Amino acid sequence: MTAKPLFLPFVVMLALAMVPTCVTAAPLPADLRDIAHAWAHVTYEVAPGAQDDAYQALEARAEKLVQTNPGDADAKVWLAIILSTHAGEHGGLGALGMAKQARALLEQAQAIQPDALDGSIYTTLGSLYDHVPGWPLGFGDKDKARALLLKALQVNPDGIDSNYFYADFLYRHGDRAGALAAVKKALAAAPRPDQPLADRGRRAQAEKLLQTIQSHS
C-alpha cells in the first residue's frame, strides 16, 4: 500500500483516458466477440468496486484463448486491452506490472500481424507509452507515443479510437487546436454495429474531451 501514491499520476491518467482501443468494425470470431462484449460490460457497466474481480476473470478467459492459439494476434491484443484497462482500475505497483505485460503482448502481436484489429496495436501501445511513467519507474516515452499514435492513424484514419487517443495525446501535450480537430473527427466516425456499448462509452469520452478542450480555448 505504501507504494501506491508513487504511481498515483499514472493511475489517474489511466482511469480517465486509457480505456484501451481495440473494438473494430470488422466482425470478430465468436470467442473473441464474447470477450469483447464482456470487456465493454465490465468497463462501462460494472461498478468500480466490482471491476477488479471481473477483470481478473476476463483475463483468465483471454489468457486461455492466447495459450490455445499462440499465433493469433487478435487474441494477444485483446488480452493486452483487458490488462491495460484493469491497470487503470487496480492502481499501485500492480498497475505498472500489468502495463508491462500488455506492452509485451502487443509487441508479440505486432510481430505476427502488424495491422491486426485496424491498427489497434499502435493505438494501445501509443497510449501506454504516453501514460506510463518514464524511466526509472516505467517505460513511458512521449516521442514513441506520438509515433505509434500517428501509425495508428495511418492504418485507420477515420476510426473513433485512433482519433480519440491522438486527440487526448495532443491536448495533454499542449496542442489544443490539433486536439480539437482530432476529437471532432473521432465523434464523426461511423458506428460499429456489433459493439454499440463500446461505441457509446468511447463517444462519451470523446464528448467529455471536446468539452474540456473548448472550455480551455
Side-chain angles (χ1 to χ4, degrees):
M1 295 298 293
T2 57
K4 195 165 186 174
L6 184 65
F7 290 88
L8 184 58
F10 166 57
V11 173
V12 170
M13 286 187 290
L14 278 173
L16 292 177
M18 212 206 70
V19 178
T21 58
C22 189
V23 183
T24 71
L28 290 169
D31 45 11
L32 279 180
R33 185 172 63 248
D34 290 345
I35 286 174
H37 290 168
W39 169 83
H41 167 66
V42 175
T43 301
Y44 295 117
E45 295 182 327
V46 172
Q51 283 182 327
D52 190 57
D53 288 343
Y55 280 128
Q56 287 186 39
L58 193 53
E59 284 161 13
R61 288 175 57 188
E63 284 172 358
K64 184 175 180 180
L65 192 60
V66 168
Q67 291 169 1
T68 305
N69 304 278
D72 187 339
D74 291 357
K76 291 180 184 291
V77 175
W78 263 112
L79 178 53
I81 284 171
I82 299 162
L83 287 164
S84 298
T85 320
H86 189 187
E89 187 277 336
H90 183 78
L93 288 170
L96 187 57
M98 284 184 271
K100 290 179 176 179
Q101 187 180 352
R103 178 182 63 164
L105 285 160
L106 291 164
E107 289 173 345
Q108 293 167 19
Q110 183 181 5
I112 296 168
Q113 185 182 348
D115 61 350
L117 295 169
D118 293 341
S120 293
I121 289 172
Y122 305 110
T123 313
T124 310
L125 267 178
S127 188
L128 280 168
Y129 274 104
D130 189 28
H131 290 91
V132 169
W135 187 89
L137 297 179
F139 57 85
D141 186 313
K142 184 178 78 171
D143 293 336
K144 284 186 178 180
R146 184 188 298 273
L148 287 160
L149 292 169
L150 287 171
K151 178 67 174 177
L153 284 167
Q154 290 177 6
V155 177
N156 189 14
D158 299 318
I160 188 171
D161 289 331
S162 53
N163 281 286
Y164 168 76
F165 278 85
Y166 189 52
D168 174 69
F169 173 86
L170 292 175
Y171 175 70
R172 295 197 318 102
H173 294 287
D175 183 355
R176 290 177 182 163
L180 184 61
V183 77
K184 286 181 176 179
K185 193 168 183 180
L187 287 167
R192 298 168 290 195
D194 63 338
Q195 290 290 340
L197 177 55
D199 262 359
R200 287 197 300 271
R202 180 67 75 232
R203 186 167 295 276
Q205 289 177 309
E207 289 172 348
K208 184 176 180 179
L209 179 58
L210 175 62
Q211 292 173 3
T212 301
I213 296 168
Q214 291 174 332
S215 69
H216 290 87
S217 298

